[in-house]
Every structure is written in C-alpha cells, then in structure tokens.
Amino acid sequence: MVFDYVDGGADDEVTMRRNEDAFAAVAFRPKMASGNVEPRLGVTVLGTEIDFPVLLAPCGLVRLLHADGPTGVARAAASRGTVSVLSTVSGSPVEVVAGESKAPLWFQLYSSAGLSEADSLCDRAAAAGVDVLMVTVDTPTLGNRERDVRHGVAPPLRVDAHNAVPLGLQVLARPRWAAQLAATGIRLSRKGAGPVGHGSGLLSSVASPFSWDDLVHVRNRWHGQFVVKGVLSGADARRAVDSGADAVVVSNHGGRQLDGAPATLQTLPGVVAAVGGDVEVLIDGGIRRGSHVVAALALGARAVLIGRPYLFGLASAGEQGVVRILDILRAEMHRTMVLMGCSSVDQLSPDWLEVPRT
Ligand SMILES: Cc1cc2nc3c(=O)[nH]c(=O)nc-3n(C[C@H](O)[C@H](O)[C@H](O)COP(=O)(O)O)c2cc1C
C-alpha cells in the first residue's frame, strides 16, 4: 500500500504517463567535436545558489516510507548542495525539520481550514527560519487515486471488515518497518504536522480551494519569497505573477490530481513565454533521468523538482538513499551535457533540441 501510495496517480494515470512520455519524445541536437567539456551545472534559484538544478518536491507522509522522514530528506538535499521543500502534511512539524536538518528549507502550504489556518502555518514556518513559501494551487479537492481506494487507505481512512485483514498482513510482513513507524510515528494533530482532517486522516486535510484573492492574502502575510506550484498555462502563470509570485512551478502534481491534464513539459514553453521574463519558472513531473533535467532547462526552466525518484531512494535506504538518487541524477546530467558538447546550463536553449517538443 505504501508503494502504491507513492507510485500511483489519479484515475487512469493518463497524465502521470504523459509526463514521462513527453520527456521520452525529446530529441537533442548535440554539437559534436566540442573538445574537452567540463560542464557547469550550478544555478541560482530565488537567490539561492544550488550545485545542480534539481530540488526535492514537497511530498506528504514521507515518514511512512522510512524513519529518516523529512529530516533525512532535508539533510540529503543539503549534503548535495540543493534544497528540499517540506510539505504541510509531511508527517513532521516544520519546527522539528528546520531545527534538526540545519539546512535551508522551503515550506509548501496547504490549508483546508481557510485563511486563518494559512496565516498560522505561515507564521510557524517563518518563525522556524523558512524563507521560501510554495503554495500548491492544484488541489481544491484530492485527486481520485484508485490504488489507494483499492487498498482502503484513501481518505477517509477507515480500517474496517473489508481492509483490516489485507492491511494487517502487509504490516505483519514488514515487522522492522512497522516497528520503526510505531516508534517514530506520524504526527496527526493540528499541533504537529499542520492541519488535520475532520476526524478522517491527514491526507483528507490537503484539499485547499485557494482563490487568487487568497493567494494575494497569503503573499501579503509572507515575509520571504513566494512560489506558486501547479500552473499549467501561460494565463494562470500570469495570474500567479499578478498575485505576487516570485516563481511558478509548472506541475500537475505528478499526475495525482486532474487526470487528463497535459504533460508538464508540453506546457512549459507557453508558461515561459508568458512570464519567463518576469519570474523564475520551475517544473516537475516525470523527471527520471539527468537528460530530462537538461531538456527542461533547454525549454526555459530555471530548475526542476523531483518527487517519486527521491521517495524511492528514501524508502530503499533512508537519507543515504536520497543522496544516492541525487548523485545518480547529477552524474547523468553531467554526462548528457558532455555528450551534447554543452559547457554550461546557462547556454541551454531550444536550439539544443530537434523540432519543438512533444
Ligand atoms: C507520495 C507523494 C506525495 C505528494 N505530496 C505532495 C504534497 O504534500 N504537496 C504537494 O504540493 N505536492 C505533493 N506531491 C507532488 C510532488 O510535489 C510533485 O509535484 C510530483 O511528485 C512530481 O512528479 P514526479 O513524482 O513524477 O517527480 C506528492 C507526490 C507524491 C508522489
């Protein structure tokens, strides 16, 4: 059930597949005989210099995957010179993760209980030392993740006669995991992770029907940099900028929300054309290889975020597993740049690609 929670998408998982297919459709236009290229991979994102342009996307309930949890994720990012974004529903309080990781941390905001809750989460994140707030706008209600429904763990989470035995067997089959989870726990209280559902589990509390007016309110409350995550069109990106965004993330939530939404890579050029001159544009969804990072940057992204890849690293080997995923992606990106004859991420542009993508 934990694997399916991470791996799955909404409905028929069409959008989830589209994300990956769009990267598979990219063709590079390398410059041969470029000599000994030593590519520069570092970029500045919202004023922070990072060693290579891959950030760790906000993900809920990561403590379910490994006891290292969000703190391990933040430490892994820091050890590789990049940044992780803590989800409101990560399972650990922002104060704890910020305190234990001792690394710059971004915070992603959900607020199912309205603006007063958003205000208090903003204040807590600011007090914990967070400088960058990322508001997710693609979750007015939770997507229909049918793998979770099948396991009986979709909100409202209920253990009953139908799922008690299969769930119990899965837990019993992994005693070390179950013991660690029992020992470290997941904070489900309002004082802990942030908002909690109305008696129906943490994930049901993510539904955050923000309006653009709400975003202006949150922007005015927030002292630092402000990022809007989940735009899929130039028009929405423009509204995000008009609402005060310093950056936007082109994202369809990894295909976990609106099934049928387009691949993120496909919508990236339109967003860059609409707002790329004014704010930084980031992208996530379907990035599995270093070459995918190169393709996204060639189409105008400042940097990318990854979700599932680092979650699988975390599930396999905790903090060190996340480090390993970052090392693999970095090595792949480096090799791709050398093979293309491109000496710096600054030089990437659509000229490095064959025909317009996807
Ligand atoms: C298990 C899981 C939990 C997620 N939880 C959140 C969340 O709490 N907040 C959020 O804004 N996005 C969440 N996302 C979406 C990610 O931030 C990101 O947009 C997505 O994973 C990118 O696609 P990828 O997994 O193909 O890399 C989650 C994704 C996964 C896989």
Side-chain angles (χ1 to χ4, degrees), residues 48-58 68-86 97 101-106 304-306 310 314 318-327 330:
T48 303
E49 279 182 31
I50 57 176
D51 286 357
F52 83 119
V54 176
L55 292 83
L56 303 183
D68 287 357
T71 303
V73 172
R75 283 198 188 124
S79 83
R80 287 304 179 263
T82 187
V83 166
S84 70
V85 190
L86 182 72
V97 181
S101 65
K102 298 186 177 62
L105 188 69
W106 296 12
V304 309
L305 298 95
I306 53 169
Y310 87 80
L314 180 70
E319 178 181 334
Q320 285 314 309
V322 180
V323 168
R324 179 90 178 103
I325 292 295
L326 288 170
D327 286 347
R330 190 194 165 97

Coordinates of all heavy atoms in Angstrom, one line a residue, residues 48-58 68-86 97 101-106 304-306 310 314 318-327 330:
T48 N 19.2 31.7 -4.1 CA 20.0 30.7 -3.5 C 20.8 29.9 -4.6 O 20.2 29.4 -5.5 CB 19.1 29.6 -2.8 OG1 18.3 30.3 -1.8 CG2 19.9 28.6 -2.1
E49 N 22.1 29.9 -4.4 CA 22.9 29.1 -5.3 C 22.8 27.7 -5.0 O 23.1 27.2 -3.8 CB 24.4 29.6 -5.2 CG 24.6 30.9 -5.9 CD 26.1 31.3 -5.9 OE1 27.0 30.4 -5.8 OE2 26.3 32.5 -5.9
I50 N 22.5 26.9 -6.0 CA 22.5 25.4 -5.7 C 23.4 24.7 -6.7 O 23.7 25.3 -7.8 CB 21.1 24.8 -5.8 CG1 20.4 25.1 -7.2 CG2 20.2 25.3 -4.7 CD1 19.0 24.4 -7.3
D51 N 24.0 23.6 -6.3 CA 25.1 23.0 -7.0 C 24.6 22.4 -8.4 O 25.4 22.2 -9.3 CB 25.8 21.9 -6.2 CG 26.6 22.5 -5.1 OD1 26.7 23.8 -5.1 OD2 27.2 21.8 -4.3
F52 N 23.4 21.9 -8.4 CA 22.8 21.4 -9.7 C 21.3 21.6 -9.6 O 20.8 21.6 -8.5 CB 23.4 20.1 -10.1 CG 22.6 18.9 -9.4 CD1 22.0 18.0 -10.3 CD2 22.6 18.7 -8.1 CE1 21.4 16.9 -9.7 CE2 22.0 17.6 -7.5 CZ 21.4 16.7 -8.4
P53 N 20.7 21.7 -10.8 CA 19.3 22.3 -10.8 C 18.2 21.3 -10.5 O 17.2 21.2 -11.2 CB 19.2 22.9 -12.2 CG 20.1 22.1 -13.0 CD 21.2 21.6 -12.1
V54 N 18.4 20.5 -9.4 CA 17.3 19.6 -9.0 C 17.0 19.8 -7.6 O 17.8 19.7 -6.7 CB 17.8 18.1 -9.3 CG1 16.8 17.1 -8.8 CG2 18.2 17.9 -10.7
L55 N 15.7 20.1 -7.3 CA 15.2 20.3 -6.0 C 14.3 19.1 -5.6 O 13.8 18.4 -6.5 CB 14.4 21.6 -5.8 CG 15.2 22.9 -6.0 CD1 15.4 23.3 -7.4 CD2 14.5 24.0 -5.3
L56 N 14.1 18.9 -4.3 CA 13.2 17.8 -3.9 C 11.8 18.4 -3.6 O 11.6 19.3 -2.8 CB 13.8 17.2 -2.6 CG 15.3 16.6 -2.8 CD1 15.8 15.9 -1.6 CD2 15.4 15.7 -4.1
A57 N 10.8 17.9 -4.3 CA 9.5 18.4 -4.3 C 8.8 18.1 -2.9 O 9.1 17.1 -2.3 CB 8.7 17.8 -5.4
P58 N 7.8 18.9 -2.6 CA 7.1 18.6 -1.3 C 6.3 17.3 -1.4 O 5.5 17.2 -2.4 CB 6.2 19.8 -1.2 CG 6.0 20.3 -2.6 CD 7.3 20.0 -3.3
D68 N 13.8 8.0 8.6 CA 14.6 9.2 8.4 C 13.6 10.4 8.1 O 14.0 11.5 8.4 CB 15.6 9.0 7.4 CG 16.8 8.2 7.8 OD1 16.8 7.8 9.0 OD2 17.7 7.9 7.0
G69 N 12.5 10.1 7.4 CA 11.5 11.0 7.2 C 12.0 12.3 6.5 O 13.0 12.4 5.9
P70 N 11.2 13.4 6.7 CA 11.5 14.7 6.1 C 12.8 15.3 6.5 O 13.5 16.0 5.8 CB 10.4 15.6 6.5 CG 9.4 14.8 7.2 CD 10.0 13.4 7.5
T71 N 13.3 15.0 7.8 CA 14.6 15.5 8.2 C 15.7 14.8 7.4 O 16.6 15.5 6.9 CB 14.8 15.2 9.7 OG1 13.7 15.8 10.4 CG2 16.1 15.8 10.2
G72 N 15.6 13.5 7.1 CA 16.6 12.9 6.3 C 16.6 13.4 4.9 O 17.7 13.6 4.3
V73 N 15.4 13.7 4.4 CA 15.3 14.3 3.0 C 16.0 15.7 3.0 O 16.8 15.9 2.1 CB 13.8 14.4 2.6 CG1 13.7 15.2 1.3 CG2 13.2 13.0 2.5
A74 N 15.7 16.5 4.0 CA 16.3 17.8 4.0 C 17.9 17.7 4.1 O 18.6 18.5 3.5 CB 15.8 18.6 5.2
R75 N 18.3 16.8 5.0 CA 19.8 16.6 5.1 C 20.4 16.1 3.8 O 21.5 16.6 3.5 CB 20.1 15.6 6.2 CG 19.9 16.2 7.6 CD 20.6 15.2 8.6 NE 20.3 15.6 10.0 CZ 19.8 14.8 10.9 NH1 19.5 13.5 10.6 NH2 19.5 15.3 12.1
A76 N 19.7 15.2 3.2 CA 20.3 14.7 1.9 C 20.4 15.8 0.9 O 21.4 16.0 0.2 CB 19.4 13.6 1.4
A77 N 19.4 16.7 0.8 CA 19.4 17.8 -0.1 C 20.6 18.7 0.2 O 21.4 19.1 -0.7 CB 18.1 18.5 -0.1
A78 N 20.7 19.0 1.5 CA 21.8 19.9 1.9 C 23.2 19.3 1.6 O 24.1 20.0 1.1 CB 21.7 20.2 3.4
S79 N 23.3 18.0 1.8 CA 24.6 17.4 1.6 C 25.0 17.4 0.1 O 26.2 17.3 -0.2 CB 24.7 16.0 2.1 OG 24.1 15.1 1.2
R80 N 24.1 17.6 -0.8 CA 24.4 17.7 -2.2 C 24.1 19.1 -2.8 O 24.0 19.3 -4.0 CB 23.5 16.6 -3.0 CG 24.0 15.2 -2.7 CD 25.5 15.1 -3.1 NE 26.1 13.7 -2.9 CZ 26.7 13.4 -1.8 NH1 26.9 14.2 -0.8 NH2 27.2 12.2 -1.7
G81 N 24.1 20.0 -1.9 CA 24.1 21.4 -2.3 C 22.8 21.8 -3.0 O 22.8 22.7 -3.8
T82 N 21.7 21.2 -2.6 CA 20.4 21.7 -3.1 C 19.4 21.9 -2.0 O 19.7 21.9 -0.8 CB 19.9 20.8 -4.2 OG1 18.7 21.3 -4.8 CG2 19.6 19.4 -3.8
V83 N 18.1 22.0 -2.3 CA 17.1 22.4 -1.4 C 15.9 21.4 -1.4 O 15.6 20.9 -2.5 CB 16.6 23.8 -1.8 CG1 15.3 24.1 -1.1 CG2 17.6 24.8 -1.6
S84 N 15.3 21.1 -0.3 CA 14.1 20.3 -0.2 C 12.9 21.2 0.2 O 13.1 22.2 1.0 CB 14.2 19.1 0.7 OG 14.3 19.5 2.0
V85 N 11.8 20.8 -0.2 CA 10.5 21.6 0.1 C 9.7 20.7 1.0 O 9.3 19.6 0.7 CB 9.7 21.9 -1.2 CG1 8.6 22.9 -0.8 CG2 10.6 22.5 -2.3
L86 N 9.4 21.2 2.2 CA 8.7 20.4 3.2 C 7.2 20.6 3.0 O 6.7 21.7 3.0 CB 9.1 20.9 4.6 CG 8.4 20.1 5.8 CD1 9.0 18.7 5.9 CD2 8.5 20.9 7.1
V97 N 11.7 19.8 11.6 CA 12.6 19.5 10.5 C 13.6 20.6 10.3 O 14.7 20.4 10.0 CB 11.7 19.3 9.2 CG1 12.5 19.0 8.0 CG2 10.7 18.2 9.4
S101 N 17.5 19.6 10.7 CA 18.2 19.5 9.4 C 19.3 20.6 9.3 O 20.3 20.4 8.6 CB 17.3 19.6 8.2 OG 16.7 20.8 8.1
K102 N 19.1 21.7 10.0 CA 20.1 22.8 9.9 C 20.4 23.2 8.5 O 21.6 23.6 8.2 CB 21.3 22.4 10.7 CG 21.1 22.2 12.2 CD 22.4 22.0 12.9 CE 22.1 21.8 14.4 NZ 21.3 20.6 14.7
A103 N 19.5 23.1 7.6 CA 19.8 23.4 6.2 C 18.7 24.3 5.7 O 17.6 24.3 6.3 CB 19.8 22.2 5.3
P104 N 18.9 25.1 4.7 CA 17.8 26.0 4.2 C 16.6 25.1 3.8 O 16.8 24.0 3.2 CB 18.4 26.7 3.0 CG 19.8 26.4 3.0 CD 20.1 25.3 3.9
L105 N 15.4 25.5 4.2 CA 14.3 24.6 3.9 C 13.2 25.5 3.3 O 13.0 26.6 3.7 CB 13.8 24.1 5.3 CG 12.7 23.0 5.3 CD1 13.2 21.7 4.7 CD2 12.2 22.8 6.8
W106 N 12.5 25.0 2.3 CA 11.3 25.7 1.8 C 10.1 25.0 2.4 O 10.1 23.8 2.7 CB 11.3 25.6 0.3 CG 12.4 26.4 -0.4 CD1 13.6 26.8 0.1 CD2 12.5 26.6 -1.8 NE1 14.3 27.4 -0.9 CE2 13.7 27.3 -2.1 CE3 11.6 26.4 -2.9 CZ2 14.1 27.7 -3.3 CZ3 12.0 26.8 -4.2 CH2 13.2 27.5 -4.4
V304 N 14.5 22.0 -11.9 CA 13.4 21.1 -11.8 C 13.2 20.6 -10.4 O 14.1 20.7 -9.5 CB 13.6 19.8 -12.7 CG1 14.0 20.3 -14.1 CG2 14.7 18.9 -12.1
L305 N 12.0 20.0 -10.1 CA 11.8 19.3 -8.8 C 11.5 17.8 -9.2 O 10.9 17.5 -10.2 CB 10.7 19.9 -8.0 CG 10.8 21.3 -7.6 CD1 10.1 22.2 -8.6 CD2 10.2 21.5 -6.2
I306 N 12.0 16.9 -8.3 CA 11.6 15.5 -8.4 C 10.8 15.1 -7.2 O 11.0 15.6 -6.1 CB 12.9 14.6 -8.6 CG1 13.9 14.9 -7.4 CG2 13.5 14.9 -9.9 CD1 15.0 13.8 -7.3
Y310 N 13.1 10.5 -5.6 CA 13.8 10.5 -4.2 C 13.0 9.8 -3.2 O 13.6 9.3 -2.2 CB 14.1 12.0 -3.8 CG 13.0 12.7 -3.1 CD1 12.8 12.6 -1.7 CD2 12.2 13.7 -3.8 CE1 11.8 13.3 -1.1 CE2 11.3 14.4 -3.1 CZ 11.0 14.2 -1.7 OH 10.1 14.9 -1.1
L314 N 14.5 7.1 -0.7 CA 14.2 7.2 0.8 C 13.7 5.9 1.3 O 14.1 5.4 2.3 CB 13.2 8.3 1.1 CG 12.8 8.5 2.5 CD1 14.0 9.1 3.3 CD2 11.6 9.4 2.7
G318 N 16.7 5.3 3.2 CA 16.7 6.5 4.1 C 17.4 7.6 3.5 O 17.5 7.8 2.3
E319 N 18.0 8.4 4.4 CA 18.7 9.6 3.9 C 19.8 9.3 2.8 O 19.9 10.0 1.8 CB 19.4 10.3 5.1 CG 20.2 11.5 4.8 CD 20.9 12.1 6.0 OE1 20.4 11.9 7.2 OE2 21.9 12.7 5.9
Q320 N 20.5 8.2 3.1 CA 21.6 7.9 2.1 C 21.0 7.5 0.7 O 21.6 7.6 -0.3 CB 22.4 6.7 2.7 CG 23.4 7.2 3.7 CD 24.1 8.5 3.3 OE1 24.7 8.6 2.2 NE2 24.1 9.5 4.2
G321 N 19.8 6.9 0.8 CA 19.1 6.6 -0.5 C 18.8 7.8 -1.3 O 18.9 7.8 -2.5
V322 N 18.4 8.9 -0.6 CA 18.1 10.1 -1.3 C 19.3 10.7 -1.9 O 19.4 11.2 -3.0 CB 17.4 11.1 -0.3 CG1 17.0 12.4 -1.0 CG2 16.1 10.5 0.3
V323 N 20.4 10.7 -1.1 CA 21.7 11.2 -1.6 C 22.1 10.4 -2.8 O 22.6 11.0 -3.8 CB 22.8 11.0 -0.5 CG1 24.2 11.2 -1.0 CG2 22.6 11.9 0.7
R324 N 21.9 9.1 -2.8 CA 22.3 8.3 -4.0 C 21.5 8.7 -5.2 O 22.1 8.8 -6.3 CB 22.0 6.8 -3.6 CG 22.4 5.9 -4.7 CD 23.8 5.4 -4.6 NE 24.1 4.4 -5.7 CZ 24.7 4.7 -6.8 NH1 25.2 5.9 -7.0 NH2 24.9 3.7 -7.7
I325 N 20.2 9.0 -5.0 CA 19.4 9.4 -6.2 C 19.9 10.7 -6.7 O 20.0 10.9 -8.0 CB 17.9 9.5 -5.7 CG1 17.3 8.2 -5.4 CG2 17.1 10.3 -6.8 CD1 17.2 7.2 -6.5
L326 N 20.3 11.6 -5.9 CA 20.8 12.9 -6.3 C 22.1 12.7 -7.1 O 22.4 13.3 -8.1 CB 20.9 13.9 -5.1 CG 19.6 14.4 -4.6 CD1 19.8 15.2 -3.3 CD2 18.9 15.3 -5.6
D327 N 23.0 11.8 -6.5 CA 24.2 11.6 -7.2 C 24.0 11.0 -8.6 O 24.7 11.3 -9.5 CB 25.1 10.6 -6.3 CG 25.7 11.4 -5.1 OD1 25.6 12.6 -5.1 OD2 26.2 10.7 -4.2
R330 N 22.8 13.7 -10.9 CA 23.8 14.6 -11.2 C 24.8 14.0 -12.2 O 25.2 14.7 -13.2 CB 24.6 15.0 -9.9 CG 25.5 16.2 -10.2 CD 26.4 16.4 -9.0 NE 27.5 17.3 -9.5 CZ 27.5 18.6 -9.3 NH1 26.6 19.1 -8.6 NH2 28.4 19.3 -9.9

